[in-house]
Amino acid sequence: MLEKKIIEVRKRVSQWKKDGLSIGLVPTMGALHEGHLSLIKKSVETCDKTIVSIFVNPIQFGPSEDLEKYPKTIDADLELCKNAGVDLVFSPSPSEMYGEGHILSNDFLTYVVPPYFYTDKLCAKSRIGHFDGVCTVVMKLFNIVQPDYAVFGQKDAQQLIVIKKMVKDLDIPIEIISCPIVRDKNGLALSSRNQYLSEDGKKYSLALNKILVNIKACYKKGITDTKSLVETALVFLNNHHELEYLEFVDKNTLENKTVADGDTLVLIAVRVDNVRLIDNCFII
Ligand code: PAF
């Protein structure tokens, strides 16, 4: 079930390909929750074989981010994968992925760098180089596993759009499947980082979904000017919230919108008691 070595994964995949089986990849950083399980379910339904990768990718974390404390729950993750019908979990070490001593500076690694237009906004503004790290590791995982399908969550909307763009621009022969955001009963979008929230933080974090639901309702009533829509958010925020961004973009190209229309994606990032949370919705 668990493989740590690239060479072993390649052997398994090559046998499955010889047998004519289709392969789905679900890339994750572990600490699996219902959101991940929905991606796994989609892959298991769509493909003959499903591989889940679990790798906390150091090159997508900035120097002051949570790489060291990112939750690691490999035993529970393996159990969940087994019960969900996963065929193989690939969980390499950083040196397996990036070489002995894994020197990770830009001078020592070939990076896949998405277009600036996609990374001069939203999460990339505060997470410099984040999407270079994401695209590089995803490209490596694609090359190692060579899946027919790869499944990603709509929760990381900017990541999903950037990966789709990479696949299109580099003619990668993989179909990207996206799955809707999974929320808890109070509306909070599931994320491995929700574990960092205190009990009060959990209450304050509900503001993100409330803001999005309210924006959808305002749009339905006819408010399309995005400045006015941003203002509707203020009533949900207090001094426990630090709004990083609330933006309106085209759902395919990430182009900014001043007037919302049917193609609008609304994205929000808020620090709640210093935990960075993101959420998004299609305006219709
Ligand atoms: O979304 C994630 O968990 C990560 O960014 C990904 C796609 C697994 C790459 O490390």
Side-chain angles (χ1 to χ4, degrees):
M1 172 74 155
L2 174 65
E3 284 297 355
K4 290 175 177 288
K5 295 284 170 204
I6 293 171
I7 188 163
E8 296 302 329
V9 173
R10 287 211 163 116
K11 273 190 211 156
R12 296 282 292 275
V13 167
S14 111
Q15 187 54 53
W16 288 338
K17 292 209 166 201
K18 269 189 208 144
D19 296 342
L21 301 175
S22 62
I23 296 167
L25 171 68
V26 184
T28 81
M29 298 205 300
L32 302 183
H33 50 66
E34 288 295 329
H36 296 111
L37 291 180
S38 74
L39 311 182
I40 293 172
K41 186 165 180 264
K42 183 74 188 171
S43 176
V44 169
E45 278 167 12
T46 312
C47 307
D48 298 316
K49 295 285 176 188
T50 289
I51 300 183
V52 171
S53 63
I54 296 181
F55 179 60
V56 182
N57 175 35
I59 66 167
Q60 70 186 70
F61 287 78
S64 58
E65 292 183 19
D66 57 346
L67 173 62
E68 297 310 327
K69 71 166 189 176
Y70 197 84
K72 290 187 186 67
T73 56
I74 187 73
D75 292 338
D77 292 352
L78 285 173
E79 192 60 24
L80 286 172
C81 285
K82 207 170 96 191
N83 295 337
V86 171
D87 298 281
L88 181 71
V89 174
F90 175 44
S91 185
S93 64
S95 46
E96 179 70 7
M97 288 296 271
Y98 296 118
E100 263 328 301
H102 57 277
I103 300 162
L104 296 173
S105 90
N106 281 357
D107 298 340
F108 287 90
L109 185 68
T110 305
Y111 276 76
V112 179
V113 180
Y116 184 62
F117 180 78
Y118 288 65
T119 58
D120 65 344
K121 53 179 64 114
L122 303 166
C123 288
K125 265 188 169 166
S126 68
R127 306 192 72 188
I128 307 296
H130 170 69
F131 289 107
D132 301 359
V134 169
C135 285
T136 303
V137 80
V138 169
M139 187 71 184
K140 281 175 73 73
L141 291 168
F142 284 177
N143 285 333
I144 293 164
V145 174
Q146 300 188 14
D148 302 287
Y149 300 88
V151 190
F152 294 88
Q154 177 62 34
K155 161 86 180 1
D156 295 298
Q158 187 177 14
Q159 167 173 286
L160 180 63
I161 292 171
V162 165
I163 288 170
K164 281 185 176 164
K165 175 80 174 140
M166 173 181 86
V167 164
K168 182 170 180 285
D169 288 353
L170 301 183
D171 302 304
I172 302 171
I174 295 172
E175 189 175 321
I176 302 299
I177 301 177
S178 61
C179 291
I181 297 175
V182 179
R183 300 179 180 279
D184 73 9
K185 61 179 189 322
N186 298 317
L188 176 64
L190 297 191
S191 159
S192 305
R193 289 190 169 95
N194 292 354
Q195 306 185 21
Y196 303 151
L197 290 166
S198 64
E199 279 312 306
D200 279 347
K202 278 183 196 151
K203 273 190 267 155
Y204 299 128
S205 66
L206 303 183
L208 280 85
N209 187 42
K210 285 184 185 158
I211 288 170
L212 295 176
V213 169
N214 186 52
I215 285 175
K216 276 168 86 91
C218 290
Y219 177 78
K220 215 170 165 189
K221 279 188 203 146
I223 306 174
T224 56
D225 167 48
T226 56
K227 264 198 188 141
S228 311
L229 289 171
V230 168
E231 274 161 26
T232 66
L234 300 178
V235 39
F236 297 98
L237 299 171
N238 60 37
N239 59 357
H240 292 276
H241 301 110
E242 200 185 310
L243 179 64
E244 194 179 292
Y245 64 72
L246 171 59
E247 290 192 30
F248 295 75
V249 301
D250 182 276
K251 67 180 181 193
N252 299 308
T253 63
L254 285 182
E255 211 164 326
N256 278 85
K257 293 211 180 251
T258 49
V259 179
D261 61 21
D263 287 331
T264 300
L265 174 66
V266 190
L267 303 102
I268 187 166
V270 179
R271 278 184 186 276
V272 176
D273 290 341
N274 223 22
V275 181
R276 187 173 180 280
L277 301 172
I278 59 170
D279 203 344
N280 68 84
C281 70
F282 298 111
I283 208 154
I284 49 172

